[in-house]
């Protein structure tokens, strides 16, 4: 199946027991992982951020993309729009690998 450039894929966030708690969309697994990481409890700085494992199953497949994610608070840029708060949550992720499930 060929994908258009605008095709978004859905990724279900899985907990340790395999329950899928949320769904994030993105063109790539990393984009969805960054969205999931922004929901983590943010630290004061990136250096103090706690790293957590994020497991995202691509909907319609048996692939689970595994990331390490962390989030922190940062001052909004000077040219930010009026509606943006003064403190924003930033996040980063690092891919750890892919796991293939036996069953969904």
């Amino acid at each position: 199946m060929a994908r258009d450039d605008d095709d978004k894929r859905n990724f279900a966030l899985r907990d340790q027991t395999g329950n899928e708690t949320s769904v994030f969309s993105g063109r790539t697994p990393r984009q969805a992982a960054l969205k999931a990481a922004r929901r983590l409890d943010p630290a004061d700085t990136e250096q103090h951020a706690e790293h957590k494992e994020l497991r995202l199953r691509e909907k319609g497949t048996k692939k689970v993309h595994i990331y390490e994610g962390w989030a922190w608070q940062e001052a909004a840029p000077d040219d930010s729009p009026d509606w943006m708060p003064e403190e924003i949550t930033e996040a980063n992720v690092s891919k750890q690998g892919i796991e293939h499930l036996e069953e969904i």
Side-chain angles (χ1 to χ4, degrees):
M1 174 174 112
R3 287 200 170 95
D4 294 335
D5 286 337
D6 292 337
D7 273 352
K8 298 239 179 185
R9 294 150 55 190
N10 291 316
F11 299 89
L13 182 65
R14 295 170 62 92
D15 62 17
Q16 279 76 9
T17 61
N19 293 325
E20 296 181 353
T21 57
S22 303
V23 176
F24 297 93
S25 63
R27 290 188 192 103
T28 65
R30 184 175 190 276
Q31 189 177 39
L34 284 167
K35 289 178 182 181
R38 288 192 58 203
R39 297 249 182 117
L40 298 172
D41 277 336
D44 294 336
T45 65
E46 184 175 8
Q47 291 76 23
H48 293 111
E50 183 180 349
H51 292 224
K52 298 226 176 178
E53 183 180 76
L54 302 170
R55 301 172 69 80
L56 296 163
R57 182 182 65 82
E58 187 170 352
K59 293 283 206 160
T61 72
K62 295 181 181 182
K63 283 188 200 174
V64 177
H65 300 269
I66 304 167
Y67 286 88
E68 183 176 52
W70 59 97
W72 67 96
Q73 291 286 340
E74 201 168 270
D78 293 334
D79 62 349
S80 64
D82 293 337
W83 56 262
M84 187 178 281
E86 291 182 24
E87 288 270 316
I88 59 173
T89 301
E90 292 282 345
N92 204 353
V93 294
S94 174
K95 185 126 187 189
Q96 303 300 304
I98 295 177
E99 183 179 283
H100 296 275
L101 298 174
E102 301 278 328
E103 297 178 15
I104 295 180

